[in-house]
């Protein structure tokens, strides 16, 4: 696989990938109805049928704002879940505790937890919000003490009263302490200028009230795809996850992002791709395909 190296600055923001550690998810669940003989070529599974996944957050490092998008599994602090989930959790999801972590990767970009000004959470599934909180003196508190956190109200409500299918993915220690501390702002729908050059757009096919994040200066545009397009393999329209609540709706939403992404040459940033950070895409008949892959 050919992956190009690119250094990207959009407006005032240096685009800084923040790998938070790999984990594994069932390959069948990641590709829904796509047969294994197809997906195992691009995403070979381990002996338990898990494919490697990155939990890749993103830092927008500006002169004034240090904006973090998603926070990974919280592999630094899996212990905060307690005996009920802690040990088992790491085992089921093969959470790598020895590689990069949220705080180590941020430190690599010269950013300390107290430097982060904003945290945008695409949604509250544990592999996105796990690093939002941490344990301190026996209490669970915000990992970024000076940051304002954002999530969609619809997603927060889903997370606090999860349906039976998603229950295992919404873990209260990841978000309830933020609400209690008054640092979590709930958004109602799309927001064009959440922060300078940064907008959010709602998608409901994967879970209720997920938000993808667009960073643009008019010349370069990057879309943080969250679980709408989790890896570069998911650029193709029918390749959607078994986890998605409404696959057909997700496919429609995916197309509304891929259309402008292909015509305007956006960088699509993949949260879960184990091999590349981002890619550009092009149209291929009624579908889309990857044009170039990048390490940012
Ligand atoms: Zn998710």
């Amino acid at each position: 696989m050919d992956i190009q190296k690119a250094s990207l600055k959009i407006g005032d923001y240096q685009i800084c990938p923040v790998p938070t550690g790999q984990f594994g998810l069932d390959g069948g669940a990641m590709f829904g109805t796509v047969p294994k003989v197809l997906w195992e070529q691009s995403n070979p599974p381990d002996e338990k049928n898990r494919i490697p996944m990155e939990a890749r957050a993103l830092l927008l490092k500006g002169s004034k704002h240090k904006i973090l998008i998603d926070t990974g599994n919280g592999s630094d602090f899996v212990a905060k879940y307690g005996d009920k989930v802690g040990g088992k959790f790491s085992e089921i999801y093969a959470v790598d505790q020895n590689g990069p972590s949220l705080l180590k990767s941020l430190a690599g970009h010269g950013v300390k937890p107290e430097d982060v000004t904003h945290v945008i959470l695409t949604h509250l599934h544990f592999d996105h919000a796990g690093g939002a909180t941490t344990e301190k003196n026996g209490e669970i508190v915000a990992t970024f003490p000076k940051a304002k956190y954002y999530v969609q109200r619809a997603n927060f409500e889903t997370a606090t009263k999860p349906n039976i299918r998603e229950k295992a993915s919404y873990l209260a220690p990841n978000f309830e302490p933020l609400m209690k501390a008054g640092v979590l702002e709930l958004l109602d729908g799309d927001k064009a200028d959440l922060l300078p050059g940064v907008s959010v757009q709602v998608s409901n096919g994967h879970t209720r009230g997920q938000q993808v994040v667009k960073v643009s200066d008019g010349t370069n545009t990057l879309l943080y795809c969250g679980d709408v397009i989790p890896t570069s393999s998911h650029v193709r329209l029918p390749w959607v996850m078994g986890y998605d609540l409404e696959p057909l709706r997700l496919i429609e939403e995916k197309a509304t992002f891929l259309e402008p992404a292909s015509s305007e040459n956006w960088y699509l940033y993949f949260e879960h791709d184990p091999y590349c950070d981002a890619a550009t895409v092009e149209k291929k008949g009624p579908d889309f395909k990857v044009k170039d892959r990048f390490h940012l």
Side-chain angles (χ1 to χ4, degrees), residues 122-128 166 169-170 206-207 210 226-228 241 243-244 272:
T122 58
H123 61 302
L124 297 169
H125 282 164
F126 66 74
D127 50 326
H128 302 256
E166 290 185 281
S169 297
Y170 284 121
H206 172 65
T207 184
Q210 177 175 201
D227 276 346
V228 174
M241 296 189 278
Y243 297 109
D244 297 330
H272 292 314

Side-chain angles (χ1 to χ4, degrees), residues 69-83:
I69 307 174
D70 276 354
T71 60
N73 285 303
S75 53
D76 313 67
F77 355 96
V78 167
K80 79 182 167 183
Y81 297 130
D83 296 340

Side-chain angles (χ1 to χ4, degrees), residues 257-287:
F257 295 116
L258 286 165
E259 245 344 301
S262 60
S263 61
E264 296 167 24
N265 213 37
W266 294 2
Y267 292 89
L268 297 182
Y269 187 93
F270 304 118
E271 191 154 6
H272 292 314
D273 198 299
Y275 309 115
C276 69
D277 298 327
T280 49
V281 292
E282 61 192 359
K283 271 203 105 134
K284 191 191 176 195
D287 204 348

